[in-house]
Amino acid sequence: MIDQTSPDFVASFARGLSVLRAFSADAPRQTLSEVAERTGLTRAAARRFLLTLEALGYAQSEGRHFRLTPLVLDLGFSYLSSLDIADTLQPWLQRAGDALNESCSAAVLDGSDVIHIARAGGPPHVLTVNLAVGARLPAHCTAMGQVLLAHLAPPRRNVLLRSLGFEPRTPATITDMKSLSDRLAEVRDQGYALSDQELEPGLRALAVPLHDRSGTVIAAMAVSTHSARMSTDRLLALGLPALQDAARGFEATQAMRG
């Protein structure tokens, strides 16, 4: 893997991707100045990237504002469609979700974020966080993220932890490297992560790792609920056996496919 000082690193491509990532659910429409501020680019550079994205059909201008178009979804769906584990996971997620009458999801790690790759529905929760397929959430304050961080090789994990911003999403969010490192060691030892309102008030989640045929952790599976629906003790007592059963079923299916 190269770093940003390598002669093979294409800086202009990286800057273009930063423009795409500047848009979010909180800022779906932005002016040129806003994009420049979010990306750290000059106004002239941001303008060139935005106009290029518009010419390719990935962005659209509306007066002084720009927004992304649905064509951008092709980039994400190309990735998701390459993960055949999503299809394999679906029945096992559904099995766990039905057993618990709660929402179950699976995610993979992408830098300091997790990306949801599959989901089985449960009852509607009064939450604002997006748990849909394709949703990107910070790894440090999510149960699936903590599972995935915990099972990284130590050198990679240490580099990634040093790059985290530790954004405090709630009063329960872990906001320093030492506390997160201690939590990840606990997660590795016990084989699961329990996040109690670290991402959003009222949201509790329990996650377990998913392994490939070689034993490498390739994804995480979680059940999420509202704190008013289930205590942490009950979530552990009911959710952990259901998730572990579903994880074993998925891993057995993967092994047979090999």
Side-chain angles (χ1 to χ4, degrees), residues 19-20 23 27-32 35 46-47 49-72:
V19 171
L20 281 175
F23 293 88
R29 296 174 69 252
Q30 296 180 57
T31 64
L32 171 60
V35 171
R47 177 178 178 274
F49 284 117
L50 286 167
L51 292 179
T52 300
L53 289 171
E54 186 176 26
L56 294 172
Y58 291 108
Q60 180 177 329
S61 58
E62 300 171 338
R64 295 176 57 248
H65 290 83
F66 289 84
R67 67 173 181 84
L68 299 182
T69 70
L71 187 60
V72 171

Coordinates of all heavy atoms in Angstrom, one line a residue, residues 19-20 23 27-32 35 46-47 49-72:
V19 N -14.0 16.1 -3.0 CA -15.2 16.9 -3.3 C -16.5 16.1 -3.3 O -17.5 16.5 -2.7 CB -15.0 17.5 -4.8 CG1 -16.3 18.2 -5.2 CG2 -13.9 18.5 -4.7
L20 N -16.4 14.9 -3.8 CA -17.6 14.0 -3.7 C -18.0 13.8 -2.2 O -19.1 13.8 -1.9 CB -17.3 12.6 -4.3 CG -17.4 12.5 -5.8 CD1 -16.9 11.2 -6.3 CD2 -18.8 12.8 -6.3
F23 N -20.1 16.2 0.2 CA -21.6 16.2 0.3 C -22.1 15.1 1.3 O -21.5 14.1 1.3 CB -22.2 16.0 -1.1 CG -21.9 17.1 -2.0 CD1 -20.8 17.2 -2.8 CD2 -22.8 18.2 -2.1 CE1 -20.5 18.2 -3.7 CE2 -22.6 19.3 -3.0 CZ -21.4 19.3 -3.8
A27 N -25.4 18.2 4.5 CA -25.1 19.2 3.5 C -25.3 18.7 2.1 O -24.3 18.5 1.4 CB -23.7 19.8 3.7
P28 N -26.5 18.4 1.7 CA -26.7 17.9 0.3 C -26.6 18.9 -0.8 O -26.3 18.5 -1.9 CB -28.2 17.3 0.4 CG -28.8 18.2 1.4 CD -27.8 18.5 2.4
R29 N -26.8 20.2 -0.5 CA -26.6 21.2 -1.4 C -25.6 22.2 -0.9 O -25.7 22.7 0.2 CB -28.0 21.9 -1.7 CG -29.0 21.1 -2.3 CD -30.4 21.8 -2.4 NE -30.4 22.9 -3.4 CZ -30.4 24.2 -3.0 NH1 -30.4 24.5 -1.7 NH2 -30.4 25.1 -3.9
Q30 N -24.6 22.5 -1.7 CA -23.6 23.4 -1.2 C -23.1 24.4 -2.3 O -23.2 24.1 -3.5 CB -22.3 22.6 -0.8 CG -22.6 21.7 0.4 CD -21.3 21.0 0.7 OE1 -20.3 21.6 1.0 NE2 -21.4 19.7 0.8
T31 N -22.7 25.6 -1.9 CA -22.1 26.6 -2.8 C -20.7 26.2 -3.1 O -20.1 25.4 -2.4 CB -22.2 28.0 -2.2 OG1 -21.4 28.0 -1.1 CG2 -23.6 28.4 -1.9
L32 N -20.1 26.8 -4.1 CA -18.7 26.6 -4.4 C -17.8 26.9 -3.2 O -16.9 26.2 -2.8 CB -18.3 27.5 -5.6 CG -16.8 27.6 -5.9 CD1 -16.3 26.3 -6.3 CD2 -16.6 28.6 -7.1
V35 N -18.0 24.1 -0.6 CA -17.2 23.0 -0.9 C -15.8 23.2 -0.7 O -15.0 22.4 -0.2 CB -17.5 22.6 -2.4 CG1 -16.6 21.5 -2.9 CG2 -19.0 22.1 -2.6
A46 N -11.8 23.9 -6.5 CA -13.1 23.3 -6.2 C -14.1 23.5 -7.4 O -14.8 22.6 -7.8 CB -13.7 23.9 -5.0
R47 N -14.0 24.7 -8.0 CA -14.8 24.9 -9.2 C -14.5 24.0 -10.3 O -15.5 23.4 -11.0 CB -14.6 26.4 -9.7 CG -15.4 26.8 -10.9 CD -15.2 28.2 -11.3 NE -15.9 28.6 -12.5 CZ -15.5 28.4 -13.7 NH1 -14.3 27.9 -13.9 NH2 -16.2 28.7 -14.8
F49 N -13.3 20.9 -10.2 CA -13.7 19.6 -9.9 C -15.3 19.5 -9.9 O -15.8 18.5 -10.5 CB -13.3 19.2 -8.4 CG -11.8 18.8 -8.4 CD1 -10.9 19.5 -7.6 CD2 -11.3 17.7 -9.1 CE1 -9.6 19.2 -7.6 CE2 -10.0 17.4 -9.1 CZ -9.1 18.1 -8.3
L50 N -16.0 20.5 -9.5 CA -17.4 20.5 -9.5 C -17.9 20.5 -11.0 O -18.8 19.8 -11.3 CB -18.0 21.7 -8.7 CG -17.9 21.5 -7.2 CD1 -18.2 22.9 -6.5 CD2 -18.9 20.5 -6.7
L51 N -17.3 21.3 -11.8 CA -17.7 21.4 -13.2 C -17.4 20.1 -13.9 O -18.2 19.7 -14.8 CB -17.0 22.6 -13.9 CG -17.5 24.0 -13.4 CD1 -16.7 25.1 -14.2 CD2 -19.0 24.2 -13.6
T52 N -16.3 19.4 -13.6 CA -16.0 18.1 -14.1 C -17.0 17.1 -13.7 O -17.5 16.3 -14.6 CB -14.6 17.7 -13.7 OG1 -13.6 18.7 -14.2 CG2 -14.2 16.3 -14.3
L53 N -17.3 17.1 -12.4 CA -18.4 16.1 -12.0 C -19.7 16.4 -12.6 O -20.4 15.5 -13.0 CB -18.5 16.3 -10.5 CG -17.4 15.7 -9.6 CD1 -17.5 16.1 -8.2 CD2 -17.3 14.2 -9.8
E54 N -20.0 17.7 -12.9 CA -21.3 18.0 -13.6 C -21.2 17.5 -15.0 O -22.2 17.0 -15.5 CB -21.5 19.5 -13.5 CG -22.8 20.0 -14.1 CD -23.1 21.4 -13.9 OE1 -22.1 22.2 -13.8 OE2 -24.3 21.8 -13.9
A55 N -20.1 17.7 -15.7 CA -20.0 17.3 -17.1 C -20.1 15.7 -17.2 O -20.6 15.2 -18.2 CB -18.6 17.7 -17.6
L56 N -19.7 15.0 -16.2 CA -19.8 13.6 -16.2 C -21.1 13.1 -15.7 O -21.4 11.8 -15.7 CB -18.6 13.0 -15.3 CG -17.2 13.2 -15.8 CD1 -16.2 12.7 -14.8 CD2 -17.0 12.4 -17.1
G57 N -21.9 14.0 -15.2 CA -23.3 13.6 -14.7 C -23.4 13.2 -13.2 O -24.4 12.8 -12.8
Y58 N -22.3 13.4 -12.5 CA -22.3 13.1 -11.1 C -22.7 14.2 -10.2 O -23.0 14.1 -9.0 CB -20.9 12.6 -10.6 CG -20.5 11.3 -11.2 CD1 -19.5 11.2 -12.2 CD2 -21.0 10.1 -10.7 CE1 -19.1 10.0 -12.7 CE2 -20.7 8.9 -11.2 CZ -19.7 8.8 -12.2 OH -19.3 7.6 -12.7
A59 N -22.8 15.4 -10.7 CA -23.2 16.6 -10.0 C -24.1 17.5 -10.9 O -24.1 17.3 -12.1 CB -22.0 17.4 -9.5
Q60 N -24.9 18.3 -10.2 CA -25.8 19.2 -10.9 C -25.8 20.5 -10.2 O -25.8 20.6 -9.0 CB -27.2 18.6 -10.9 CG -28.3 19.4 -11.6 CD -29.6 18.7 -11.6 OE1 -29.7 17.5 -11.7 NE2 -30.7 19.5 -11.6
S61 N -25.8 21.6 -11.0 CA -25.8 23.0 -10.4 C -27.3 23.5 -10.4 O -28.1 23.2 -11.3 CB -25.0 23.9 -11.2 OG -25.4 24.0 -12.6
E62 N -27.6 24.2 -9.3 CA -28.9 24.8 -9.1 C -28.6 26.2 -8.7 O -28.5 26.5 -7.5 CB -29.7 24.1 -8.1 CG -30.0 22.6 -8.5 CD -30.6 21.8 -7.3 OE1 -30.5 22.2 -6.2 OE2 -31.2 20.8 -7.6
G63 N -28.5 27.2 -9.6 CA -28.1 28.5 -9.3 C -26.7 28.5 -8.7 O -25.7 28.0 -9.4
R64 N -26.5 29.0 -7.5 CA -25.2 29.1 -6.9 C -24.8 27.8 -6.2 O -23.7 27.6 -5.7 CB -25.1 30.2 -5.8 CG -25.3 31.6 -6.4 CD -25.3 32.7 -5.4 NE -24.1 32.6 -4.5 CZ -24.2 32.3 -3.2 NH1 -25.3 31.9 -2.6 NH2 -23.0 32.3 -2.5
H65 N -25.8 26.8 -6.1 CA -25.6 25.6 -5.4 C -25.3 24.4 -6.3 O -25.7 24.4 -7.4 CB -26.8 25.3 -4.5 CG -27.0 26.2 -3.4 ND1 -27.6 27.4 -3.5 CD2 -26.6 26.1 -2.1 CE1 -27.6 28.0 -2.3 NE2 -27.0 27.3 -1.4
F66 N -24.6 23.4 -5.7 CA -24.3 22.2 -6.4 C -24.9 21.1 -5.5 O -24.9 21.2 -4.3 CB -22.8 21.9 -6.6 CG -22.2 22.8 -7.6 CD1 -21.8 24.1 -7.3 CD2 -22.0 22.4 -8.9 CE1 -21.2 24.9 -8.3 CE2 -21.5 23.2 -9.9 CZ -21.0 24.5 -9.6
R67 N -25.3 20.0 -6.2 CA -25.7 18.8 -5.5 C -25.3 17.6 -6.3 O -25.1 17.7 -7.5 CB -27.2 18.7 -5.2 CG -28.1 18.6 -6.5 CD -29.5 18.4 -6.1 NE -30.4 18.3 -7.4 CZ -30.5 17.2 -8.0 NH1 -30.0 16.1 -7.6 NH2 -31.3 17.1 -9.1
L68 N -25.2 16.4 -5.6 CA -24.8 15.2 -6.4 C -26.1 14.6 -7.0 O -27.2 14.9 -6.6 CB -24.2 14.2 -5.4 CG -23.0 14.6 -4.7 CD1 -22.5 13.4 -3.8 CD2 -21.9 15.0 -5.7
T69 N -25.9 13.9 -8.1 CA -27.0 13.2 -8.7 C -27.1 11.7 -8.4 O -26.1 11.2 -7.8 CB -26.9 13.4 -10.3 OG1 -25.8 12.5 -10.7 CG2 -26.6 14.8 -10.7
P70 N -28.2 11.1 -8.7 CA -28.3 9.7 -8.4 C -27.2 8.8 -9.1 O -27.0 7.7 -8.6 CB -29.7 9.3 -8.9 CG -30.4 10.6 -8.8 CD -29.4 11.6 -9.2
L71 N -26.5 9.3 -10.1 CA -25.5 8.6 -10.8 C -24.4 8.2 -9.8 O -23.7 7.2 -10.0 CB -24.9 9.4 -11.9 CG -23.9 8.6 -12.8 CD1 -24.6 7.4 -13.5 CD2 -23.4 9.6 -13.9
V72 N -24.2 9.0 -8.8 CA -23.1 8.7 -7.8 C -23.4 7.4 -7.1 O -22.4 6.7 -6.7 CB -23.1 9.8 -6.7 CG1 -22.2 9.5 -5.5 CG2 -22.6 11.1 -7.4

